[in-house]
Amino acid sequence: MEEPIRVGLIGAGQMGFWHARCLAHDIQQAELAAVVDPDEEAARRVAALAPGARWVTSHEAILSDPSIQAVVIASPDATHAELIEGAAQAGKDVFCEKPLATSLAEADAALAAVASHGVKLQVGFQRRFDPAYQRAREIIAAGDLGPVELAVATTRDPLQTEHPAGGGNAAIFIQTTVHDLDSLRFLTGLEVVQVYATASYFGEDPGEEGEMDTAAVVLRFQTGALATITDSRRTAYGYDVQVEVMGPKGKVQVGYERQIAVRHFSAQGVSHDHVYWYIDRFGVAYRREMEHFIDCVARGATPEVGGADARAAQALAEAAARSLREARPIDVPLLA
Amino acid sequence: MEEPIRVGLIGAGQMGFWHARCLAHDIQQAELAAVVDPDEEAARRVAALAPGARWVTSHEAILSDPSIQAVVIASPDATHAELIEGAAQAGKDVFCEKPLATSLAEADAALAAVASHGVKLQVGFQRRFDPAYQRAREIIAAGDLGPVELAVATTRDPLQTEHPAGGGNAAIFIQTTVHDLDSLRFLTGLEVVQVYATASYFGEDPGEEGEMDTAAVVLRFQTGALATITDSRRTAYGYDVQVEVMGPKGKVQVGYERQIAVRHFSAQGVSHDHVYWYIDRFGVAYRREMEHFIDCVARGATPEVGGADARAAQALAEAAARSLREARPIDVPLLA
Amino acid sequence: MEEPIRVGLIGAGQMGFWHARCLAHDIQQAELAAVVDPDEEAARRVAALAPGARWVTSHEAILSDPSIQAVVIASPDATHAELIEGAAQAGKDVFCEKPLATSLAEADAALAAVASHGVKLQVGFQRRFDPAYQRAREIIAAGDLGPVELAVATTRDPLQTEHPAGGGNAAIFIQTTVHDLDSLRFLTGLEVVQVYATASYFGEDPGEEGEMDTAAVVLRFQTGALATITDSRRTAYGYDVQVEVMGPKGKVQVGYERQIAVRHFSAQGVSHDHVYWYIDRFGVAYRREMEHFIDCVARGATPEVGGADARAAQALAEAAARSLREARPIDVPLLA
Amino acid sequence: MEEPIRVGLIGAGQMGFWHARCLAHDIQQAELAAVVDPDEEAARRVAALAPGARWVTSHEAILSDPSIQAVVIASPDATHAELIEGAAQAGKDVFCEKPLATSLAEADAALAAVASHGVKLQVGFQRRFDPAYQRAREIIAAGDLGPVELAVATTRDPLQTEHPAGGGNAAIFIQTTVHDLDSLRFLTGLEVVQVYATASYFGEDPGEEGEMDTAAVVLRFQTGALATITDSRRTAYGYDVQVEVMGPKGKVQVGYERQIAVRHFSAQGVSHDHVYWYIDRFGVAYRREMEHFIDCVARGATPEVGGADARAAQALAEAAARSLREARPIDVPLLA
């Protein structure tokens, strides 16, 4: 057996915990070497998942550790771009949670660092590693639907899911819609040329910057194909991610509803539960994306969801934010 | 347009009402000419469904009316065989609700009268006219499952459905299981060679004869294929008729659950209604079986669900009753 | 029994045929008295559904017949408004297939005639009579979801469904989207204040006026609630009408997929059919809307889906068409 | 962190591999110390799952190793009882795959050894650790269905699943039906008082002892409640385990069908995949049962699925086999 890839994890929040768990228990080829978080207690708790992992409160200790080959960034969104740059300069391969950055300018700086230092970069669009999204893409790519004409994507997050604060009225697009934007690109293989977006806020306190919690987006692809995205962060009934993609020969529909395989029939009707937590829906995908990253690092291969895809989704999310501000559809330039 | 077939209906209960409604409104080729019921009020109410239909309290008036070409028997089970004989002697074609009779001896007498007078006979196994049962049979008959090996039939009747009193512990087999017995013969195209049955009673008053409301039956077919039937007359959640038939290449599953196409998602989970009334499940099948009967009468053709099928199901229901009494599997002779 | 309402049907196409069938067979209170169609053969065939119905090739014969109390208009869209005016002037109550008119100006003229002559008007938004839409509305109106925040409506029409020619790029909104617009108003009880729409064409010949066959629409309601509508006239898999409405406490989802209650399990997976024809999905709703109309005529009551609702949906469809032309969201004035 | 429980695995077949995987990767409290299999290659391959695990070809090496605290038996059925005895004598706690033994006499000898040596015993009825079975049991135990009246259990195994040879016509009951027997006891909390069973063989070679591959069983519980079980080892469409339990107030239905959350809609209808491999259905349950065992060993607690439950299921499976041989229902004594 080869030497495992030693990984440093930056960010010991909910998502960091999950990545740590996969690295420590599920992926034989990886070794969780260190966990960084300014919250010492959090760093210690997550490091405890792996025997031998140390914990620190500053990422410099990881970036300067030559025994660490790769870093996983699961820190607050606003720190992503700078950490990618730092890791690239330190010659570490990088897995970064989405979004790549909070602005396209930052994203470009980070990607430039990745390119000039020749490190690997994978971004956390886990839906691409979900077996259902992958099967749907195969059906579409095989031409079984004919050319894509129309798609409908929905993301519903329970009220209890915490979203990072800040970002103003663009935050819902950068944090949530970006998943739908990436997965529509992934599924259809098409590029978006126009974005229209609007949004509302139904929560109790939008903050000074006017956070939004409900969004509706229309995309036009280069072929004339259309898509809608609706996102809500306020569902009582559970975590619900679905997408339909249609062509002249048929459609594919992706989505789970039921979690536990029990239905209860009574005089009040038939009832069952609903998937509630995003890990319940995408736990396998999170594990598989990390396996892919570690495998690419070990083989010196380029990860499938790299900087170009992350930049494209970021650009569309920013176009959606601009559409909301300017109340008009925004044209998006096709990259060469 | 040809002259419509004038039909006399015997029995103005729930099932008689539904047949009258089909004859009066849905089937252009039929004319509901008269309705018989000892309950004058019931007869009058059902006759009112068709302009021109008269009502009487004794069936002789119908059997002696030369303008009436066909009778539909929806009277209590115990009267079926005798009414078939009477109708046959009067030269009327007969549609008779299941069961054909309450004993095989009576059934044989009725069938002899039908044969000797050369009238048509159709028995009310409406499942044979349900589009789902028909499609399942096509799949099986086309060999898409391979030779049938195993089947599972379930019939669940709500607590509120009234079943005819009397018949003792055989009643559930004669009245309810007979549908499953007939539909398994219909779907598989196979004959049963052995029947094991047991039953229980969970209601409040089994009566002197020891009525049963819950039954479990095992069938062995001539090929070694096996089937189970479970019947309950005590469901709170609705009317639920399902069947699965399996062979080495696959299975077909027949059954509806939802009535109204709405689902409600809340913090308590996902819920929807359930089909509750047998007419909601089989309304189309009841109409189609009557269309078939009227069409056969008009064309002088032999109905598809005639005396031989009804007798076979009756024989199996009696074997089930005997199995319950004798607490052992009962062999059933294969007819030539 | 009271005298039946004598009805004249204008238009003997597919929809006219279905209305005739309901009037002739299902609705005891109605009598199909006459059928008009410039195509003599079509008029004759539809009139044959009812004994005693006559057929004519010009609607004047119906409008001038004092024995006819009500007319059902199922002629080409472009004739609706003028026929409503004519019927109103003749003192007939009117059921008119949607759309009310092909422009808001025409619609207003027709509604003025209805008002000044004091006749009843019902417009053919049959979804309002579908048990599932009605149940969904009850759940919403009862507050079970909390205030509506987000809705997703989809209409998919098979390639084989013929749509009336003409109308240019507004046609898909006037003919198809209008159903979604009306049903979202019906379900949510809210008024729309802004419409954004875009559309594409994937068929073989868009005609000179640039017909569209695929549309995406975003609505903003007065409360900030958002909705998307996607419509396609090019589905291979069937007729598929669905809607989801969500509030902070849950969502309702309306929609059927399966037609026949059979599933086939094989080594290739599990398969079942899909509803294909709009009559299979909405046959009951078409019957119930016509019963409601006849009942209103008989009782002198005002139909539930009258001119105001039809005008509102028409105004939104026109706003969608304008949004497409001008490539920007269009504000819609709230009526007092 | 406490010292992990060192476990010896006996049997490196498919099920042994899965248990090894759980012990090596998922359960922090366990350490896979050694793997035994007469097939050296198999033992070596499974031992490779855990760093530090050794492999041997004879179980004596494990039973005599004082550092090993617990054994997991996943060897051929015919060896289970003797291995349990040996392990008990060596003072090891035991997890044994079902069935406990191939006859009740052997089972009793094994249980006596367990009792006299005071070791823990858990038997591999993994369905008891499936979240759906557990939720169903909670609903039933809470009285939400009222007293159980009727249950329908089905187990369908794909043609490709290998079953242990030998055992003659009792094998299907001992190996497969035993799961249904145990899970019906688990779900209903009731004891069986009578068993009727029949079976058929549709495969290519039943062997000298007359193996069966298709079975139908009827159970009567002490309360008069009835249940049917149908088992087939010949499904082309997948692995399909379902159960319905009904009382006067409702029913629960347990079962998954779809594996990957994609549906494909085309002109041929709607299709999706089916769960195919038993690990895909019960992977979580296998992990949870092993966690429970290790936790009981660590805490010195008594596992929930011990000898008494395993013996009861074994007794019912033997009664089924006897019913098949004697072609009559078999009474089962209620244990005090």
Side-chain angles (χ1 to χ4, degrees):
Chain A
M1 187 165 157
E2 303 163 53
E3 282 295 293
I5 307 295
R6 284 173 53 83
V7 179
L9 170 68
I10 304 177
Q14 199 176 65
M15 202 62 239
F17 179 89
W18 192 256
H19 288 315
R21 204 177 166 286
C22 291
L23 290 164
H25 302 164
D26 295 330
I27 305 177
Q28 302 305 305
Q29 215 173 356
E31 179 185 339
L32 180 63
V35 177
V36 183
D37 202 286
D39 175 347
E40 182 180 316
E41 194 44 45
R44 194 193 307 254
R45 198 181 57 242
V46 171
L49 287 169
R54 67 194 175 103
W55 57 270
V56 289
T57 55
S58 163
H59 61 268
E60 277 82 14
I62 283 185
L63 297 187
S64 63
D65 178 345
S67 81
I68 289 180
Q69 189 169 349
V71 299
V72 168
I73 301 174
S75 54
D77 293 3
T79 66
H80 288 186
E82 195 180 338
L83 286 168
I84 294 172
E85 281 195 66
Q89 283 158 8
K92 316 292 188 203
D93 292 328
V94 180
F95 176 97
C96 184
E97 261 307 312
K98 60 89 218 169
L100 187 57
T102 51
S103 77
L104 212 47
E106 277 183 3
D108 285 335
L111 294 179
V114 165
S116 72
H117 294 278
V119 299
K120 311 296 178 198
L121 172 66
Q122 181 177 333
V123 179
F125 287 126
Q126 89 286 352
R127 294 185 192 178
R128 291 185 179 231
F129 293 88
D130 177 66
Y133 278 83
Q134 292 185 334
R135 179 79 190 104
R137 190 201 198 191
E138 286 168 19
I139 291 170
I140 295 166
D144 289 353
L145 310 182
V148 169
E149 297 179 358
L150 188 55
V152 178
T154 60
T155 296
R156 304 283 182 266
D157 234 329
L159 280 161
Q160 280 84 340
T161 305
E162 279 185 30
H163 291 93
N169 60 19
I172 191 168
F173 302 117
I174 304 287
Q175 294 161 7
T176 299
T177 312
V178 74
H179 275 300
D180 300 299
L181 292 165
D182 180 65
S183 56
L184 286 169
R185 288 183 68 246
F186 173 69
L187 290 170
T188 64
L190 299 178
E191 294 298 341
V192 173
V193 295
Q194 196 184 55
V195 178
Y196 172 77
T198 188
S200 283
Y201 183 77
F202 295 102
E204 291 182 6
D205 174 16
E208 286 184 13
E209 297 180 61
E211 194 111 348
M212 298 288 171
D213 53 24
T214 305
V217 178
V218 176
L219 306 179
R220 174 178 290 273
F221 293 90
Q222 80 234 61
T223 59
L226 304 177
T228 58
I229 300 169
T230 55
D231 292 332
S232 165
R233 297 171 164 192
R234 290 174 47 76
T235 51
Y237 67 90
Y239 180 74
D240 189 8
V241 171
Q242 301 198 28
V243 66
E244 281 191 15
V245 180
M246 202 187 85
K249 296 198 276 179
K251 76 170 179 184
V252 286
Q253 189 270 342
V254 172
Y256 282 108
E257 291 178 349
R258 199 163 23 144
Q259 173 79 6
I260 298 182
V262 174
R263 295 184 301 154
H264 182 184
F265 295 63
S266 74
Q268 282 70 50
V270 183
S271 62
H272 59 79
D273 73 353
H274 195 284
V275 173
Y276 197 81
W277 196 38
Y278 67 97
I279 297 289
D280 285 329
R281 173 62 185 89
F282 285 118
V284 169
Y286 286 123
R287 178 172 53 70
R288 295 178 72 202
E289 71 174 358
M290 196 55 70
E291 284 171 352
H292 176 70
F293 173 64
I294 296 298
D295 184 56
C296 286
V297 171
R299 291 189 296 114
T302 302
E304 278 180 26
V305 202
D309 283 324
R311 192 193 186 281
Q314 183 86 20
L316 295 176
E318 293 201 7
R322 188 172 160 208
S323 175
L324 173 64
R325 282 195 308 273
E326 302 185 6
R328 65 181 184 90
I330 302 296
D331 291 332
V332 180
L334 263 189
L335 300 180
Chain B
M1 188 166 155
E2 303 163 53
E3 282 295 293
I5 308 295
R6 283 173 55 83
V7 180
L9 169 69
I10 304 177
Q14 198 176 68
M15 202 63 239
F17 180 89
W18 191 256
H19 288 315
R21 203 176 166 288
C22 291
L23 290 165
H25 302 165
D26 294 330
I27 305 175
Q28 302 304 305
Q29 215 172 357
E31 179 185 339
L32 180 63
V35 177
V36 183
D37 201 286
D39 175 347
E40 182 181 315
E41 194 44 45
R44 194 195 305 257
R45 197 181 58 242
V46 170
L49 287 169
R54 68 196 175 101
W55 56 270
V56 290
T57 55
S58 162
H59 61 267
E60 278 84 13
I62 282 185
L63 298 187
S64 63
D65 179 344
S67 81
I68 288 180
Q69 191 170 347
V71 299
V72 168
I73 300 174
S75 54
D77 293 2
T79 66
H80 287 185
E82 196 181 337
L83 286 168
I84 293 172
E85 281 196 65
Q89 283 158 7
K92 314 293 188 203
D93 293 328
V94 181
F95 177 98
C96 184
E97 260 309 310
K98 60 90 219 172
L100 188 56
T102 52
S103 78
L104 213 46
E106 276 183 4
D108 284 337
L111 294 179
V114 165
S116 72
H117 293 279
V119 299
K120 311 296 178 198
L121 172 67
Q122 182 176 334
V123 179
F125 288 126
Q126 90 287 351
R127 293 184 193 180
R128 291 185 179 230
F129 292 88
D130 176 65
Y133 278 83
Q134 292 185 333
R135 179 79 190 103
R137 190 200 199 192
E138 285 167 18
I139 291 169
I140 296 166
D144 289 353
L145 309 183
V148 170
E149 298 180 356
L150 188 55
V152 177
T154 61
T155 296
R156 305 285 182 266
D157 233 330
L159 280 160
Q160 280 81 341
T161 304
E162 280 184 30
H163 291 94
N169 60 19
I172 191 169
F173 302 118
I174 304 286
Q175 293 160 8
T176 298
T177 313
V178 74
H179 275 299
D180 300 299
L181 294 164
D182 180 65
S183 55
L184 285 170
R185 290 183 67 247
F186 172 70
L187 289 171
T188 65
L190 300 176
E191 294 297 341
V192 173
V193 296
Q194 195 183 56
V195 178
Y196 172 77
T198 187
S200 283
Y201 183 77
F202 294 102
E204 292 182 4
D205 174 16
E208 288 185 11
E209 298 179 61
E211 193 110 350
M212 298 290 173
D213 53 24
T214 305
V217 179
V218 176
L219 306 179
R220 175 177 290 275
F221 293 90
Q222 80 234 61
T223 58
L226 304 176
T228 58
I229 300 169
T230 55
D231 292 332
S232 165
R233 297 171 166 193
R234 289 173 49 74
T235 51
Y237 67 90
Y239 180 75
D240 189 8
V241 172
Q242 301 197 29
V243 67
E244 280 192 15
V245 180
M246 202 188 84
K249 295 198 277 179
K251 77 170 179 184
V252 286
Q253 189 270 342
V254 173
Y256 281 109
E257 291 177 349
R258 197 160 29 141
Q259 174 78 8
I260 296 182
V262 174
R263 295 185 302 154
H264 183 184
F265 296 62
S266 74
Q268 283 70 50
V270 183
S271 63
H272 58 80
D273 72 353
H274 194 286
V275 173
Y276 198 82
W277 195 39
Y278 66 99
I279 296 290
D280 284 329
R281 173 63 185 88
F282 286 119
V284 168
Y286 287 124
R287 177 172 55 70
R288 294 178 73 203
E289 72 174 359
M290 196 54 71
E291 284 172 351
H292 177 69
F293 173 64
I294 296 298
D295 184 56
C296 286
V297 171
R299 291 188 297 112
T302 301
E304 278 179 28
V305 201
D309 283 324
R311 191 192 186 282
Q314 183 85 20
L316 295 175
E318 293 200 7
R322 188 171 159 208
S323 174
L324 172 64
R325 283 195 308 274
E326 302 185 7
R328 63 180 185 91
I330 301 297
D331 291 332
V332 180
L334 263 189
L335 300 182
Chain C
M1 185 166 159
E2 303 163 53
E3 282 295 293
I5 307 296
R6 284 173 55 83
V7 179
L9 169 68
I10 303 177
Q14 200 177 63
M15 203 62 239
F17 180 89
W18 192 257
H19 288 314
R21 205 177 164 286
C22 292
L23 291 164
H25 302 166
D26 295 330
I27 305 176
Q28 302 304 306
Q29 215 172 357
E31 179 185 338
L32 180 62
V35 178
V36 183
D37 202 286
D39 175 346
E40 182 180 315
E41 194 45 45
R44 194 195 306 256
R45 197 182 58 243
V46 171
L49 288 169
R54 67 195 176 101
W55 56 270
V56 289
T57 55
S58 162
H59 60 267
E60 278 83 14
I62 283 185
L63 298 187
S64 62
D65 179 343
S67 80
I68 289 181
Q69 191 169 348
V71 299
V72 168
I73 300 174
S75 54
D77 293 3
T79 66
H80 288 185
E82 195 181 338
L83 285 168
I84 292 171
E85 281 195 65
Q89 284 158 7
K92 315 293 188 202
D93 292 328
V94 180
F95 176 98
C96 183
E97 260 308 311
K98 60 89 218 171
L100 187 58
T102 51
S103 78
L104 213 46
E106 276 183 4
D108 285 336
L111 293 179
V114 165
S116 72
H117 293 279
V119 299
K120 311 295 178 198
L121 172 66
Q122 182 177 334
V123 178
F125 288 127
Q126 90 287 352
R127 295 184 192 179
R128 291 186 180 229
F129 294 88
D130 176 65
Y133 278 83
Q134 291 185 333
R135 179 80 190 102
R137 190 200 198 192
E138 285 168 18
I139 291 169
I140 296 166
D144 289 353
L145 309 183
V148 169
E149 297 180 357
L150 188 55
V152 178
T154 60
T155 296
R156 304 283 182 266
D157 233 330
L159 280 160
Q160 281 83 339
T161 305
E162 280 185 30
H163 292 93
N169 60 18
I172 192 170
F173 302 117
I174 304 286
Q175 293 160 8
T176 298
T177 313
V178 75
H179 275 299
D180 300 298
L181 293 164
D182 180 65
S183 55
L184 285 169
R185 289 184 68 246
F186 172 70
L187 289 171
T188 64
L190 299 177
E191 294 298 340
V192 172
V193 295
Q194 195 182 56
V195 178
Y196 173 77
T198 187
S200 283
Y201 183 78
F202 295 103
E204 292 182 6
D205 175 14
E208 287 184 13
E209 298 179 61
E211 193 111 351
M212 298 288 171
D213 52 25
T214 303
V217 178
V218 176
L219 306 179
R220 174 179 290 273
F221 294 89
Q222 80 233 62
T223 59
L226 304 177
T228 58
I229 300 169
T230 55
D231 294 331
S232 165
R233 298 171 164 191
R234 289 173 49 76
T235 51
Y237 67 91
Y239 180 75
D240 189 7
V241 172
Q242 301 198 28
V243 67
E244 280 192 15
V245 180
M246 202 187 85
K249 295 198 277 179
K251 77 170 178 183
V252 287
Q253 189 270 342
V254 172
Y256 281 109
E257 291 177 349
R258 197 160 29 141
Q259 173 78 7
I260 296 182
V262 174
R263 294 184 302 154
H264 183 184
F265 296 62
S266 74
Q268 282 71 49
V270 183
S271 63
H272 59 80
D273 73 352
H274 194 286
V275 173
Y276 197 80
W277 196 40
Y278 65 98
I279 297 290
D280 285 329
R281 173 63 185 88
F282 285 118
V284 167
Y286 286 123
R287 177 172 55 69
R288 294 178 73 204
E289 71 174 359
M290 197 54 71
E291 283 171 352
H292 177 70
F293 174 65
I294 297 297
D295 184 56
C296 286
V297 171
R299 291 189 297 114
T302 301
E304 277 179 27
V305 202
D309 283 323
R311 192 192 185 283
Q314 182 85 21
L316 296 175
E318 293 200 8
R322 188 172 159 207
S323 175
L324 172 64
R325 282 195 308 273
E326 302 185 7
R328 63 180 184 92
I330 301 296
D331 291 331
V332 180
L334 264 188
L335 299 181
Chain D
M1 187 165 157
E2 302 163 52
E3 282 294 292
I5 307 296
R6 284 173 54 84
V7 180
L9 169 68
I10 305 177
Q14 198 176 67
M15 202 64 238
F17 179 89
W18 192 256
H19 288 315
R21 203 176 166 287
C22 291
L23 290 165
H25 302 165
D26 295 329
I27 305 176
Q28 301 305 304
Q29 216 172 356
E31 179 185 339
L32 180 62
V35 177
V36 183
D37 201 285
D39 175 346
E40 183 181 314
E41 194 44 45
R44 195 195 306 255
R45 197 180 57 241
V46 171
L49 288 169
R54 67 196 177 101
W55 56 270
V56 291
T57 55
S58 162
H59 61 269
E60 278 83 14
I62 283 185
L63 298 186
S64 61
D65 178 345
S67 80
I68 288 180
Q69 190 170 348
V71 299
V72 168
I73 300 173
S75 55
D77 294 3
T79 66
H80 287 185
E82 196 181 337
L83 285 168
I84 293 171
E85 280 195 67
Q89 284 158 7
K92 315 291 189 205
D93 293 328
V94 180
F95 177 96
C96 184
E97 260 309 310
K98 60 89 217 171
L100 187 56
T102 52
S103 77
L104 213 46
E106 276 183 4
D108 285 336
L111 293 179
V114 165
S116 72
H117 293 279
V119 298
K120 311 296 179 200
L121 172 66
Q122 181 176 334
V123 179
F125 287 127
Q126 89 287 352
R127 293 184 192 179
R128 290 185 180 231
F129 293 89
D130 176 66
Y133 278 82
Q134 292 185 333
R135 178 79 191 105
R137 189 199 199 193
E138 285 168 18
I139 291 170
I140 295 167
D144 289 353
L145 310 182
V148 169
E149 298 180 356
L150 188 56
V152 178
T154 61
T155 296
R156 305 283 182 268
D157 233 331
L159 280 161
Q160 281 81 340
T161 304
E162 280 185 31
H163 291 93
N169 60 19
I172 191 170
F173 302 118
I174 304 286
Q175 294 161 6
T176 298
T177 313
V178 74
H179 275 300
D180 300 300
L181 294 164
D182 180 65
S183 56
L184 286 169
R185 288 184 68 247
F186 172 71
L187 289 171
T188 65
L190 300 177
E191 294 298 340
V192 173
V193 295
Q194 196 183 56
V195 178
Y196 173 77
T198 187
S200 282
Y201 183 77
F202 294 103
E204 290 182 6
D205 175 15
E208 286 184 13
E209 297 179 62
E211 194 110 350
M212 298 289 173
D213 54 23
T214 305
V217 178
V218 177
L219 306 179
R220 174 178 290 273
F221 294 90
Q222 79 234 61
T223 58
L226 305 177
T228 58
I229 300 169
T230 55
D231 292 332
S232 165
R233 297 170 165 195
R234 290 173 48 75
T235 51
Y237 68 89
Y239 179 74
D240 190 8
V241 171
Q242 301 198 27
V243 66
E244 280 192 14
V245 180
M246 201 188 85
K249 295 198 277 179
K251 76 170 178 183
V252 286
Q253 190 270 342
V254 172
Y256 281 109
E257 291 177 349
R258 199 162 26 141
Q259 174 79 4
I260 297 182
V262 174
R263 295 184 302 154
H264 183 183
F265 296 63
S266 74
Q268 283 70 50
V270 183
S271 63
H272 58 81
D273 72 353
H274 194 286
V275 173
Y276 196 81
W277 196 39
Y278 66 98
I279 296 290
D280 284 329
R281 173 64 184 88
F282 285 119
V284 168
Y286 286 123
R287 178 172 54 70
R288 294 179 73 203
E289 71 174 358
M290 196 54 71
E291 284 171 351
H292 177 70
F293 173 65
I294 296 297
D295 184 57
C296 286
V297 171
R299 291 189 297 113
T302 302
E304 279 179 26
V305 201
D309 283 324
R311 191 193 186 281
Q314 182 86 19
L316 295 176
E318 292 200 8
R322 187 171 160 208
S323 175
L324 173 64
R325 284 195 307 275
E326 301 184 8
R328 64 181 185 90
I330 301 297
D331 291 332
V332 179
L334 264 189
L335 300 181

